[in-house]
Amino acid sequence: MISGAVALLWLAIILAFAYVLVGLFGTSPLLTLLGCALVYGLCIGLPQDAVVLGVMDGFGGWLGTFGLAIAITAVTATILQKSGALAAIGQWATGKVQAKSTQRGHLTRLAALLGFAIAVPSPGEFGYFLFLPLVEDIADASSVGRTRFVLAYAAGIFAAGSLVMPTVAALSSARAFAASLGQTLFVGLIAAIVALVSGLWWISRKNPSAVVQKDVGMDKNSQVGVQTDGQTGIQTGASAIRRPLIPIVLPFALLVLKMIADLPFRPFGSGWVYAWIEFCGHPMLAACLGLAFALLLFRKQIVEGKASSSAAIAGCVEEAIVRATPILIVAALAASFSQVVKAGPLVDFIGRIVPTTSIAGRFGALFLCFVLAAMFKSIQGSSLIAVVLASGVMAAVPQAVKLNPALAVGAVGAGSLVASHINDPLYWILQKSLGLSTKDMVRSWTAATAIQGTSAFLAVCVMALFIH
């Protein structure tokens, strides 16, 4: 087998080739990732059977760990959309803020918080496509410019998507680094909040003017009070808004409860109470409970002219699976690539070149996690793939330098935010939706995501001073 330095060179060459295939020739990411995994394994001298087994183990291991949880969260998100629950949240929140203040800053922060919350039940880029029309409708009926509102929403979803448990990227990275889910939740949440605030600050300062924005007041149907959605019959007043929030908040709350239960002083003891909290706080079980509440609360509302509610629910499941499948396959193939990388000499090589002294080693490892994820993000565009690849390459480093794995997860997540540009699907979704020029998109959105990733990494570095 070749040396670690040569393996690193081969990785750089293959990733550059992948960038050309995907970015310039529009080759499918699925085929590109599969080809990269096979070619890289052969180039670094792995036996042919080891290359094939590495691809299969990486693909099957990732799907086995996360596939069901992602499918469940996708179904939950579809039910919330079809039932009108998400529309109810947006309409109530917009009316509530406008009733209190006419300042645009309030609505911009609202849009960012909506995106931040939606990122949890909406795996990968699924949420961008699923809820962007809803956000556009809210923006058109609000007193804030459509461009700023939609960009703030996207910044919220972008900040949470790679950092906050139980999103797919955060779970994948925590598994690769063998990090505590509770500590990963804490570190990721703090870093994501910092990223959200910094991105929102930049978008507020650099609001593009390329689009003629609609600055209209609220109409009579968006006043605060108890209203009903004409299609779904869901009340959108303050008294009824708690129901749509339950399926979104519940999985996150269970993870927080598990984090508290795992504290060293064991606040819930070590008996049956602790066992049940551990059981319900598992990401898959938390997702199942969120789906159960979504079905319980909105079973009647998702009947859209179908023969029965069962047929409507079956339709939601099929639609969610169709939308989530590309995310699952691409992420699993990225995991296959990472598995082949880990089978070669590169991981040990990187572990040796990272400084081994206590402080320098920890911060050197964090910086390398951040830079690798940022490089993978810039090369191929997907934050999820960037997280999976960088986590696979750096998996053994935290233990070598005595770094808390949760901090490595946070650094990788921060790097995957740097930066959204022309090879990121979200970039084109936003540009086509808002009609912005390339210059305006780079000045507002690309710069905002670069600031988000950098500020999140600085937050992780500050936490590294106190978390060991």
Side-chain angles (χ1 to χ4, degrees):
M1 190 179 295
I2 61 178
S3 67
V6 177
L8 181 60
L9 178 62
W10 271 116
L11 181 63
I13 293 172
I14 289 173
L15 288 175
F17 186 63
Y19 177 78
V20 172
L21 288 177
V22 176
L24 298 182
F25 295 101
T27 306
S28 168
L30 280 70
L31 299 177
T32 303
L33 284 169
L34 179 59
C36 286
L38 295 172
V39 172
Y40 177 78
L42 295 174
C43 288
I44 64 174
L46 288 176
Q48 291 88 336
D49 57 344
V51 175
V52 174
L53 287 175
V55 171
M56 295 173 61
D57 289 346
F59 189 91
W62 194 93
L63 277 183
T65 304
F66 304 112
L68 185 56
I70 296 171
I72 292 169
T73 53
V75 174
T76 302
T78 304
I79 288 174
L80 292 176
Q81 184 208 26
K82 294 293 185 181
S83 66
L86 289 172
I89 295 172
Q91 291 167 8
W92 172 82
T94 302
K96 192 70 173 176
V97 173
Q98 286 187 327
K100 291 183 177 180
S101 173
T102 58
Q103 295 182 11
R104 291 185 174 186
H106 287 273
L107 280 173
T108 305
R109 288 190 289 272
L110 166 68
L113 290 173
L114 279 175
F116 198 87
I118 283 172
V120 176
S122 309
E125 293 161 356
F126 182 45
Y128 302 146
F129 294 96
L130 194 59
F131 306 118
L132 194 55
L134 164 65
V135 173
E136 290 173 343
D137 291 342
I138 296 173
D140 290 341
S142 70
S143 63
V144 67
R146 185 171 184 261
T147 301
R148 180 180 295 182
F149 195 93
V150 173
L151 286 177
Y153 160 78
I157 242 181
F158 201 71
S162 294
L163 289 164
V164 179
M165 297 283 285
T167 57
V168 184
L171 284 172
S172 299
S173 189
R175 175 179 179 264
F177 286 112
S180 163
L181 295 184
Q183 292 177 342
T184 300
L185 173 63
F186 175 78
V187 171
L189 185 60
I190 298 299
I193 290 173
V194 172
L196 177 66
V197 172
S198 62
L200 196 57
W201 168 78
W202 182 261
I203 289 170
S204 298
R205 290 183 71 250
K206 299 291 182 181
N207 187 35
S209 57
V211 176
V212 178
Q213 299 176 356
K214 299 181 181 180
D215 290 333
V216 296
M218 293 171 56
D219 58 27
K220 62 182 180 180
N221 294 324
S222 57
Q223 299 295 327
V224 176
V226 177
Q227 308 130 17
T228 59
D229 184 288
Q231 294 180 340
T232 63
I234 293 181
Q235 290 185 331
T236 61
S239 62
I241 204 64
R242 298 182 187 89
R243 294 173 66 243
L245 287 175
I246 292 175
I248 296 175
V249 174
L250 181 62
F252 182 80
L254 289 172
L255 288 175
V256 172
L257 188 63
K258 184 179 183 299
M259 178 185 69
I260 296 173
D262 286 334
L263 291 174
F265 60 90
R266 288 287 192 269
F268 297 103
S270 301
W272 66 271
V273 174
Y274 174 79
W276 274 103
I277 292 175
E278 285 285 298
F279 178 72
C280 295
H282 188 280
M284 190 194 72
L285 265 298
C288 286
L289 291 172
L291 174 60
F293 271 90
L295 290 171
L296 179 66
L297 295 174
F298 305 118
R299 184 182 180 90
K300 294 181 180 179
Q301 281 76 20
I302 62 174
V303 181
E304 298 176 341
K306 299 184 184 297
S308 66
S309 59
S310 298
I313 292 170
C316 287
V317 173
E318 292 176 3
E319 181 177 338
I321 296 302
V322 168
R323 286 172 164 169
T325 296
I327 300 170
L328 288 168
I329 301 300
V330 169
L333 285 173
S336 295
F337 193 4
S338 294
Q339 186 70 22
V340 174
V341 170
K342 287 188 288 186
L346 184 58
V347 174
D348 290 337
F349 173 73
I350 291 176
R352 289 196 303 269
I353 65 175
V354 174
T356 56
T357 58
S358 180
I359 297 296
R362 290 203 301 270
F363 284 96
L366 286 176
F367 181 73
L368 195 53
C369 287
F370 173 76
V371 169
L372 279 176
M375 180 186 72
F376 290 141
K377 168 66 177 177
S378 297
I379 288 173
Q380 48 76 46
S382 169
S383 294
L384 177 58
I385 293 176
V387 166
V388 175
L389 290 176
S391 300
V393 172
M394 295 294 293
V397 173
Q399 184 178 2
V401 298
K402 294 180 171 55
L403 172 71
N404 190 308
L407 295 170
V409 175
V412 166
S416 72
L417 303 181
V418 181
S420 176
H421 58 94
I422 59 173
N423 61 358
D424 186 352
L426 179 58
Y427 177 96
W428 295 109
I429 296 170
L430 292 174
Q431 187 187 50
K432 291 177 182 179
S433 172
L434 299 174
L436 298 179
S437 65
T438 301
K439 178 181 177 180
D440 281 328
M441 282 296 294
V442 171
R443 185 169 64 99
S444 57
W445 175 246
T446 302
T449 55
I451 291 171
Q452 282 186 297
T454 304
S455 60
F457 175 66
L458 293 176
V460 172
C461 289
V462 172
M463 286 185 279
L465 296 173
F466 305 98
I467 300 175
H468 301 287

